[in-house]
């Protein structure tokens, strides 16, 4: 009953169609991510028995999906503008299911690597986000994206807790078969639960735009953040190449009980990060909180390095790691949103997501290679070194401007009117940046809430322009 009330409060103001679309798409996204994450806590325990397995190849198999995901997610998103969202998402889920089947049937490490890489070709993230934007009004889009993000976080927590338990019942091949079933279920949800969009359009606040790439890639502050998510997922994947083995062989914990460690650690780490989110956002101490979280990651890796034979030491380090990891997973997208120029947030997030998947690929491969030469201690030392490098980039970044994105519906205007409107909007106090896209009938703004003259903003073009809620 309480959960239903919470959902109703969260979706307040949404139409029935928007709610149906949103929960269906969140379900598709979470089912896919659940399939990817389920093997994270158990794969390295299983893969040593595969023909041809070496530590480097085991790590490569764990992260192989990242390289194909990184290469294809932006092209698939752009292609969905041309041929439609549902065909791209359907094809992506079929590819993901096929990759899962290949990995499930493989008895060699090479076969699993091929299956994992094929899983990554089902790169539907950008297309799903675009479909969410197609099916929700601008004033509801912040809620919609927040729910998608929440579904990913829940999938990660469920996968870490459930993976070791399911592994005892069906094994890792069974987990791959389960991910294939989840992908097929996602296709059913897509076609039965998500309304058809007859004329998809491009959304600059959600989707990448080719003309914006040079602008984003040339922004050193944005690229520092993209490098940050690269490092974060490198650390996650590299650590999980050896952590399950360390828990079993060094700490003496039976793999059947690993999930009972991961779940409470994740839940309590999420609770622990909340005060720091408030400090970062409400008290405007984002840079200090960000640097502190990166430093805690390094502390966790060093704790694993020196205390991994101790179960208590491993659990404390795991809690530190996930407290910092969850905090950075929440703050990095917020920083990208604050830093990205008006009308470039979709492109900035596309580059950011690409770097995230590249980090998973490099982390798996590098973690396995280092493990093969230097053992557990070598991997944790390597990860601590990555954190030290990240700290240099984090400490020298500029404090973020506390700007939020806002969209204004302006109706039909010609290019000359759009240019004039952009100039008028730019003169409003508190508007830091503005782009008016005549084809979309939308103005994209970056505003400072503490200085924004809302009255002046609503007075501009009252016959053509209707303010919407912020899209963060």
């Amino acid at each position: 009953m309480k959960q239903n009330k919470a959902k109703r409060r969260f979706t307040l103001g949404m139409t029935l169609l928007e709610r149906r679309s949103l929960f269906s798409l969140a379900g598709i996204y979470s089912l896919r991510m659940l399939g990817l994450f389920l093997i994270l806590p158990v794969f390295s325990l299983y893969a040593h028995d595969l023909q041809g397995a070496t530590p480097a190849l085991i790590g490569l198999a764990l992260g192989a999906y990242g390289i194909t995901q990184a290469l294809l997610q932006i092209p698939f998103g752009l292609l969905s503008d041309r041929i439609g969202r549902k065909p791209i998402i359907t094809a992506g889920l079929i590819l993901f299911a096929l990759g899962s089947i290949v990995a499930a049937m493989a008895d060699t490490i090479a076969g699993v690597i091929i299956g994992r890489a094929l899983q990554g070709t089902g790169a539907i993230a950008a297309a799903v986000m675009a479909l969410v934007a197609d099916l929700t009004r601008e004033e509801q889009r912040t809620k919609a994206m927040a729910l998608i993000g929440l579904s990913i976080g829940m999938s990660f927590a469920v996968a870490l807790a459930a993976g070791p338990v399911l592994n005892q019942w069906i094994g890792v091949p069974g987990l791959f078969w389960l991910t294939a079933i989840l992908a097929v279920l996602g296709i059913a949800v897509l076609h039965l639960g998500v309304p058809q969009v007859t004329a998809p359009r491009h959304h600059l606040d959600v989707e990448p735009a080719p003309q914006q790439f040079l602008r984003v890639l040339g922004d050193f502050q944005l690229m520092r953040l993209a490098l940050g998510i690269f490092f974060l997922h490198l650390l996650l994947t590299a650590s999980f190449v050896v952590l399950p083995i360390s828990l079993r062989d060094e700490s003496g914990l039976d793999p059947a009980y690993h999930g009972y460690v991961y779940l409470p650690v994740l839940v309590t780490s999420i609770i622990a990060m909340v005060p720091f989110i408030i400090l970062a956002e409400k008290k405007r101490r984002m840079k200090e909180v960000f640097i502190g979280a990166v430093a805690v990651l390094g502390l966790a890796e060093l704790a694993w390095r020196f205390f991994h034979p101790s179960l208590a030491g491993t659990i404390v380090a795991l809690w530190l790691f996930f407290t910092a990891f969850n905090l950075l997973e929440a703050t990095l997208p917020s920083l990208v949103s604050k830093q990205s120029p008006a009308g470039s947030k979709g492109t900035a997030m596309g580059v950011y997501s690409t770097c995230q998947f590249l980090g998973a690929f490099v982390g798996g491969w590098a973690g396995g290679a280092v493990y093969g030469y230097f053992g557990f201690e070598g991997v944790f030392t390597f990860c601590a070194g990555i954190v030290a490098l990240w700290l240099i980039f984090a400490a020298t970044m500029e404090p973020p401007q506390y700007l939020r994105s806002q969209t204004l519906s302006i109706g039909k205007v010609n290019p000359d009117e759009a240019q004039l409107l952009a100039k008028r909007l730019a003169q409003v106090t508190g508007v830091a940046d503005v782009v008016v896209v005549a084809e979309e009938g939308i103005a994209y703004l970056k505003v400072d809430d503490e200085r924004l003259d809302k009255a002046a903003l609503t007075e501009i073009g009252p016959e053509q322009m209707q303010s919407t809620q912020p899209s963060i």
Side-chain angles (χ1 to χ4, degrees), residues 157-209:
V158 170
L160 281 189
V165 176
L166 290 172
N167 182 50
Q168 299 302 308
W169 297 343
I170 59 177
V172 170
L175 291 177
F176 281 124
W177 282 111
L178 178 59
T179 62
I181 293 170
L182 292 175
V184 173
L185 182 59
I187 294 173
V189 172
L190 175 68
H191 289 279
L192 297 176
V194 180
Q196 185 66 38
V197 176
T198 55
R201 63 185 181 89
H202 196 84
H203 308 270
L204 286 179
D205 59 332
V206 175
E207 299 176 77

Side-chain angles (χ1 to χ4, degrees), residues 48 52-61 241 364-365 367-373:
H48 282 279
T54 66
L57 291 178
I58 290 170
L60 182 60
V241 170
W365 170 76
V370 172
Y371 175 47
Y373 284 103

Side-chain angles (χ1 to χ4, degrees), residues 210-361:
Q211 66 272 22
Q212 297 282 357
F213 280 119
L214 288 179
R215 185 183 188 188
V216 168
L217 294 174
D219 189 317
F220 292 116
Q221 291 297 104
L222 280 175
M223 294 315 296
R224 284 174 193 262
L225 299 175
L227 186 63
I229 196 64
F230 172 86
F231 284 149
L232 186 63
H233 281 260
L234 184 158
L235 292 168
L236 175 69
T237 313
S239 297
F240 269 88
V241 170
V242 297
L243 186 60
I245 303 171
S246 176
L247 269 171
R248 183 191 64 187
D249 296 346
E250 299 291 309
S251 302
L253 184 66
D254 189 291
Y257 297 101
H258 287 194
Y260 299 110
V261 169
Y262 295 134
L263 183 59
V265 163
L266 276 168
V267 171
T268 55
S269 67
I270 290 170
I271 295 170
M273 80 168 185
V274 171
F276 296 100
I277 292 287
I278 295 171
L279 179 64
E281 295 286 357
K282 301 295 184 182
K283 303 298 182 182
R284 300 201 167 191
R285 306 298 296 271
M286 181 67 79
K287 182 177 179 180
E288 293 88 342
V289 169
F290 183 81
I291 293 172
V294 175
V296 170
L297 281 179
L299 182 62
E301 297 289 352
L302 289 174
W304 276 326
R305 164 65 179 80
F306 291 106
F307 302 109
H308 64 84
S310 163
L311 179 58
T314 298
I315 292 174
V316 170
L318 192 67
W319 183 82
L320 289 172
F321 181 88
F322 276 117
T323 300
F325 179 87
N326 291 327
L327 181 56
L328 289 164
E329 277 279 287
T331 55
L332 274 165
S334 176
L335 283 167
V336 171
S337 180
K338 290 176 171 62
Q339 184 64 34
S340 58
S344 298
K345 190 175 76 169
T347 306
M349 289 305 299
V351 172
Y352 170 90
S353 297
T354 297
C355 290
Q356 172 182 328
F357 294 119
L358 283 175
F361 168 71

Side-chain angles (χ1 to χ4, degrees), residues 319-471:
W319 183 82
L320 289 172
F321 181 88
F322 276 117
T323 300
F325 179 87
N326 291 327
L327 181 56
L328 289 164
E329 277 279 287
T331 55
L332 274 165
S334 176
L335 283 167
V336 171
S337 180
K338 290 176 171 62
Q339 184 64 34
S340 58
S344 298
K345 190 175 76 169
T347 306
M349 289 305 299
V351 172
Y352 170 90
S353 297
T354 297
C355 290
Q356 172 182 328
F357 294 119
L358 283 175
F361 168 71
V362 174
W365 170 76
V370 172
Y371 175 47
Y373 284 103
F374 302 105
F376 300 120
E377 293 87 351
V379 175
F380 296 135
T381 303
F382 165 74
C383 289
I386 293 294
V387 173
L389 179 62
W390 188 2
L391 275 172
I392 295 172
F393 285 98
T396 54
M397 75 177 187
E398 297 176 6
Q401 291 182 293
Y402 288 86
L403 305 176
R404 64 169 173 81
S405 299
Q406 180 168 336
T407 57
L408 300 174
S409 179
I410 59 174
K412 293 183 179 180
V413 294
N414 61 45
D416 291 336
E417 291 171 331
Q419 187 175 10
L420 177 62
L421 185 58
K423 290 180 180 179
R424 294 178 62 192
L425 289 168
Q427 294 171 353
V428 175
T429 301
V431 174
D433 193 14
V434 58
V435 170
V436 176
V437 183
E439 296 82 0
E440 291 186 25
I442 294 175
Y444 296 92
L445 286 74
K446 298 303 289 287
V447 302
D448 181 344
D449 273 328
E450 291 192 351
R451 299 179 55 246
L452 182 62
D453 186 344
K454 295 180 180 179
L457 193 63
T458 56
E459 287 174 2
I460 295 178
E463 296 176 358
Q464 291 181 320
M465 189 168 63
Q466 180 180 2
S467 177
T468 70
Q469 294 295 320
S471 174

